[in-house]
Amino acid sequence: MKKKITFIVPTNKDGGGNRWSFMLASNLANKDNYDIDFIMPNYKNFTNIYSLNKKVKLITYKPQNNLKIISIFKFIIFLKKNISEDRTIVVSDPILSIFMFFFKNKVIRNVASDDYNLFNFTKYKFTGIVRIYKILTFFSFHYKNVKFVFNSVYTYKCIYSKMSIPFFFNNKNPIIIAPFIDNKYLTIPINDKINRENSIVIFPRKHNSKGFKMISDLNNSGAFTKLGIKKIYLVFNKSEHLNAFENDSFTLVNPKNDEEIINILDKSICFISTSSSEGFGLPPIEAMSRKCIPIIVDAGGTSSFCHNLYNCLI
């Protein structure tokens, strides 16, 4: 009998949780004993570089222009209609995870960050919305139908420190599965004689904890010019809307696939990450795989694999 699994993602945009879901669903679909469905809203203003195995049954939901909370409930109703109770649900998104009590299904939740504090750094910080979110998130870690998978020991400890006794008893031996790096980063030959540019590459994000303002301030101060840096590549999805940085100081790259990202990493002498909070942090590993030196902030989850003066600069 085939194992029936349905993956749910909240949008079709780039992101660690989405990458994990796309890649895992595609790999499981190659196995004869798996029946894989993949459900996502099809937001036209979001795109990503991921692709699904043709063996995966893709089910898309056309969202309507409602208030966000109404849209979420409509999506949950859509999910209830399209997921039979004999299927296991796999979900990464913390907000969708809150609503898993609506389902009788077995649920596997991929915890990719400190979900409890995920929205502390946004415009919602000083409103009651964050408090409500935290209360609901706390309860979501005690649902009896949910099994947890963590992307790092750091992420597990962040969640464990905020939870209560029932959570501990159910997760004495946590399942830790690190994110996947696409084989393209490892199988495309690296030319050791490549003439790298005096350039750096950054994956900027709007979230305050990602610290991109630090790069902007350094650039404005002339620090990169003094170091002889000729180009600063900003690799990001168009949905990030980083219009403020569309100037001659930066070379913007909106990649359509991993090969385009690899090409930039192969050109650059170093990859810089100013993120102060990562559940794991895959981009530094992708940079390492291309011999592009990662210069990073100690972001918590990166301590799983980043060792100063050995494989990166912290």
Side-chain angles (χ1 to χ4, degrees):
M1 182 180 293
K2 287 191 174 185
K3 297 178 182 178
K4 300 178 181 179
I5 299 179
T6 298
F7 287 79
I8 308 171
V9 297
T11 70
N12 54 321
K13 69 175 182 178
D14 289 331
N18 277 10
R19 175 182 278 272
W20 185 89
S21 297
F22 272 83
M23 292 186 69
L24 182 56
S26 293
N27 278 279
L28 289 178
N30 284 325
K31 300 180 182 298
D32 293 335
N33 59 329
Y34 281 90
D35 173 11
I36 307 295
D37 288 353
F38 199 96
I39 304 179
M40 67 178 182
N42 188 17
Y43 288 97
K44 291 183 180 179
N45 57 325
F46 292 139
T47 59
N48 64 51
I49 62 172
Y50 321 135
S51 59
L52 275 175
N53 189 321
K54 292 181 180 179
K55 296 179 181 179
V56 175
K57 181 183 177 183
L58 177 62
I59 304 170
T60 57
Y61 166 72
K62 187 176 181 180
Q64 300 167 350
N65 294 324
N66 297 115
L67 292 172
K68 192 163 188 177
I69 189 67
I70 296 175
S71 296
I72 291 172
F73 278 110
K74 285 190 173 182
F75 186 43
I76 297 300
I77 293 170
F78 177 84
L79 294 175
K80 287 283 288 181
K81 290 180 179 178
N82 285 275
I83 304 176
S84 58
E85 291 183 3
D86 62 338
R87 302 190 70 86
T88 297
I89 294 173
V90 179
V91 60
S92 287
D93 182 72
I95 294 179
L96 279 180
S97 297
I98 289 171
F99 295 92
M100 288 301 105
F101 70 90
F102 281 115
F103 298 84
K104 295 180 180 180
N105 307 63
K106 177 183 177 182
V107 177
I108 297 175
R109 177 175 174 179
N110 173 44
V111 188
S113 64
D114 180 3
D115 289 350
Y116 192 75
N117 286 316
L118 197 60
F119 296 101
N120 274 1
F121 304 99
T122 71
K123 60 185 178 182
Y124 304 114
K125 184 177 180 181
F126 300 106
T127 70
I129 297 175
V130 171
R131 183 62 180 164
I132 294 170
Y133 165 78
K134 287 190 174 187
I135 292 171
L136 294 174
T137 298
F138 176 85
F139 284 113
S140 74
F141 277 98
H142 296 85
Y143 295 163
K144 291 183 179 180
N145 63 325
V146 179
K147 183 73 175 178
F148 300 97
V149 174
F150 301 88
N151 68 346
S152 68
V153 172
Y154 170 79
T155 300
Y156 170 71
K157 288 181 176 178
C158 283
I159 300 299
Y160 168 73
S161 67
K162 301 171 183 70
M163 294 301 116
S164 57
I165 295 299
F167 174 81
F168 171 73
F169 282 128
N170 291 331
N171 295 277
K172 279 184 178 179
N173 300 304
I175 300 172
I176 310 293
I177 302 178
F180 317 115
I181 183 171
D182 196 293
N183 282 337
K184 297 184 185 77
Y185 288 84
L186 304 173
T187 55
I188 295 177
I190 300 173
N191 182 357
D192 288 328
K193 297 180 180 179
I194 190 170
N195 293 317
R196 292 184 184 265
E197 305 172 342
N198 283 344
S199 62
I200 58 178
V201 57
I202 303 161
F203 296 173
R205 298 293 181 266
K206 286 191 295 185
H207 197 292
N208 292 0
S209 71
K210 302 304 181 184
F212 182 61
K213 187 177 183 299
M214 185 189 302
I215 296 296
S216 180
D217 291 344
L218 283 170
N219 182 61
N220 292 336
S221 73
F224 293 128
T225 301
K226 291 177 183 176
L227 289 170
I229 300 299
K230 303 296 184 183
K231 277 188 178 181
I232 303 174
Y233 289 106
L234 304 187
V235 180
F236 64 97
N237 190 290
K238 285 184 178 179
S239 63
E240 289 288 335
H241 300 302
L242 295 173
N243 298 332
F245 306 102
E246 292 182 355
N247 58 60
D248 293 339
S249 298
F250 304 105
T251 301
L252 275 57
V253 180
N254 302 131
K256 297 181 180 65
N257 49 51
D258 279 305
E259 284 85 356
E260 290 188 23
I261 297 175
I262 289 168
N263 180 51
I264 299 298
L265 289 171
D266 284 354
K267 287 181 183 180
S268 304
I269 56 174
C270 65
F271 162 84
I272 297 181
S273 173
T274 52
S275 174
S276 60
S277 179
E278 294 288 344
F280 184 82
L282 199 58
I285 287 186
E286 293 172 339
M288 289 175 192
S289 74
R290 307 310 300 179
K291 299 185 179 180
C292 181
I293 300 168
I295 300 175
I296 69 166
V297 173
D298 183 353
T302 51
S303 60
S304 301
F305 60 90
C306 288
H307 305 284
N308 191 37
L309 300 180
Y310 177 72
N311 59 6
C312 68
L313 298 175
I314 301 178

